[in-house]
Amino acid sequence: MSKELSYTIEEVSQLLKVSKLTIYDLVKKGELPVFRVGRQMRMDAKDLEMYINNHKSHTSPVSVAEPHRNEVKNSLNLVISGQDMVLDILGQHIEKDSSYKTLRSNTGSLSGLISMYNGDSDIVSLHMFDGDTGEYNLPYIKKILVGYPYILLNLVSRKAGLYVKKGNPLDLTGWTDLKQKDLAIINRERGSGARILLDEQLRIHGISSKNLKGYENEETNHLSVASAVSAGIADVGVGIEKAAKIVGIDFVPLITERYDLVILKSPKNEQLINIVKRILTSNPFQTEINALGDYDISQTGSIIYETF
C-alpha cells in the first residue's frame, strides 16, 4: 500500500470484509489510528498495513470475524448515523449522561437505514421525503425495517430548498425552475435525504434528470454542495438552510423537512431509548440547539411513530 493513500471507515470495512461497526470498535479501542478531514474519519494506508501485519500470526480468526446481526455487543459503543451538527451535540449529551460512547457514521439517510437493518447502526437520523404521501421518513422505514420493532422520534425540523448564488441571478423560486435551459446543478450522493428530495420533486413535476446538466456530479454533504454553488461550479444545489448561511450564499426555502431519529426496540435498547427521550426533551439540549439558529424544536422529542 502506498503511504500517500488513506481510507474512509467504509473503505476499510470493505477491505477487511467486516462490518463498519467492527472498525469503529477498533478505532475506539485505539487499535486503528485515524485522523479527521472535517467530520470524516480517515485512516492512513500505512497504519492499516501495520495493523494487518501485526495480526497475521497467532491470531484467532474470531477477532476479525463479521459479527452476527443478532449478536449482543459486549461494549457500550453507539454508532449514530447521519451528518447534521445536531447529532454531534446529541452524542455529547449521551456520553455526558450515560456510560455509552458514541461513534459517528457520516452516511446518508437511506444508507443509514439499511445499515440499521444489517445491524451496523444504533441510532439513525432520517430526512427522506416520499412524494406519493408528502410524508417524511415513515414510508421508507416501513419498507426497510420489515420485521423489526422500532421507535421514531423527532430530532428537529429544518428548511430545505435550493442553494443559489448571491443575489439569485437566475431568479430561481421553485422546483419547476430547474427546467431552465443550461442550468447547471450539483447533486448529492445516492441514498442521501437531499438526493431523495430532489429525485422525488423531479418525478412529481415531470422533469427528467437526463435534462439536468450536472445531475451526475455528486458531493457527499450539504457544505460541499453549497461551496460548489459559491465557487461557480454549479448554479444550484439542494440542501438545508444552515449550510447556505455558513458558506455565505442565498437560499430558496421550498419545504420544511422533519429530521427524525429511529432506534430499534429491544430489551438491550430499552435504556438507550429512555436516555435519548430524556435528552431530546431536556431544556439544556433544546436550548443548545435553539442557539444554533435555523432549527425548529417545537416537535423535538415527540414520538412520531412506535411499533408495539
Side-chain angles (χ1 to χ4, degrees):
M1 300 182 200
S2 169
K3 290 185 178 181
E4 287 76 22
L5 287 177
S6 67
Y7 301 103
T8 64
I9 294 296
E10 182 174 4
E11 289 169 339
V12 173
S13 72
Q14 292 171 352
L15 285 169
L16 297 183
K17 301 189 186 310
V18 297
S19 72
K20 287 190 289 185
L21 181 60
T22 300
I23 304 302
Y24 283 126
D25 282 339
L26 291 172
V27 170
K28 198 71 176 180
K29 293 173 184 176
E31 295 185 37
L32 281 173
V34 296
F35 63 95
R36 289 187 178 274
V37 179
R39 292 187 206 166
Q40 186 185 73
M41 286 191 292
R42 298 191 69 87
M43 187 179 306
D44 280 332
K46 60 181 178 59
D47 291 326
L48 178 58
E49 184 175 27
M50 184 179 299
Y51 174 84
I52 293 172
N53 289 335
N54 289 341
H55 289 76
K56 275 185 176 179
S57 59
H58 309 296
T59 304
S60 170
V62 175
S63 63
V64 294
E66 176 76 15
H68 192 277
R69 59 183 289 181
N70 294 321
E71 180 182 351
V72 177
K73 299 169 192 153
N74 293 323
S75 69
L76 289 175
N77 289 341
L78 291 175
V79 176
I80 302 177
S81 174
Q83 298 180 343
D84 198 287
M85 65 179 69
V86 175
L87 297 171
D88 295 323
I89 296 173
L90 175 63
Q92 292 166 7
H93 279 261
I94 290 175
E95 291 193 350
K96 180 181 177 181
D97 295 350
S98 71
S99 57
Y100 289 106
K101 299 298 180 184
T102 59
L103 301 165
R104 287 291 306 281
S105 174
N106 294 313
T107 56
S109 295
L110 184 57
S111 300
L113 195 56
I114 292 172
S115 75
M116 174 168 278
Y117 180 83
N118 290 326
D120 293 333
S121 292
D122 300 289
I123 301 175
V124 171
S125 63
L126 309 165
H127 59 110
M128 295 189 289
F129 176 74
D130 177 58
D132 293 327
T133 63
E135 188 176 1
Y136 265 89
N137 302 325
L138 197 54
Y140 295 91
I141 296 173
K142 288 181 175 179
K143 292 176 181 178
I144 294 175
L145 295 184
V146 178
Y148 284 103
Y150 54 84
I151 184 170
L152 184 66
L153 300 164
N154 178 247
L155 180 58
V156 292
S157 294
R158 59 190 191 181
K159 297 291 185 182
L162 304 178
Y163 297 138
V164 296
K165 297 174 183 177
K166 270 289 188 182
N168 194 4
L170 298 180
D171 194 27
L172 304 179
T173 60
W175 299 110
T176 55
D177 290 331
L178 297 179
K179 293 179 180 180
Q180 286 189 22
K181 187 178 180 181
D182 295 327
L183 183 76
I185 194 169
I186 184 74
N187 212 344
R188 281 292 303 278
E189 79 282 9
R190 291 179 178 85
S192 66
R195 174 65 168 264
I196 291 170
L197 175 61
L198 173 63
D199 287 344
E200 286 291 84
Q201 295 296 342
L202 293 179
R203 179 174 67 85
I204 291 170
H205 292 91
I207 304 172
S208 173
S209 61
K210 295 179 181 178
N211 297 328
L212 284 184
K213 180 182 177 182
Y215 177 85
E216 68 283 356
N217 298 329
E218 300 176 355
E219 293 290 350
T220 58
N221 57 71
H222 293 296
L223 286 175
S224 294
V225 172
S227 296
V229 174
S230 177
I233 297 172
D235 298 309
V236 64
V238 174
I240 61 172
E241 186 174 17
K242 173 61 73 176
K245 290 188 175 181
I246 292 173
V247 172
I249 57 174
D250 283 356
F251 178 74
V252 181
L254 295 179
I255 193 169
T256 299
E257 62 178 23
R258 212 182 60 230
Y259 194 43
D260 297 330
L261 302 175
V262 62
I263 307 174
L264 296 182
K265 291 176 65 177
S266 67
K268 178 176 69 69
N269 279 353
E270 184 176 351
Q271 180 188 20
L272 172 62
I273 291 172
N274 289 332
I275 290 171
V276 173
K277 280 182 178 179
R278 184 172 67 249
I279 291 172
L280 293 181
T281 56
S282 70
N283 185 65
F285 178 79
Q286 293 195 7
T287 298
E288 193 168 352
I289 301 306
N290 199 42
L292 294 174
D294 305 314
Y295 293 105
D296 180 354
I297 60 172
S298 60
Q299 294 186 75
T300 298
S302 61
I303 299 174
I304 304 300
Y305 187 85
E306 183 176 8
T307 60
F308 295 97

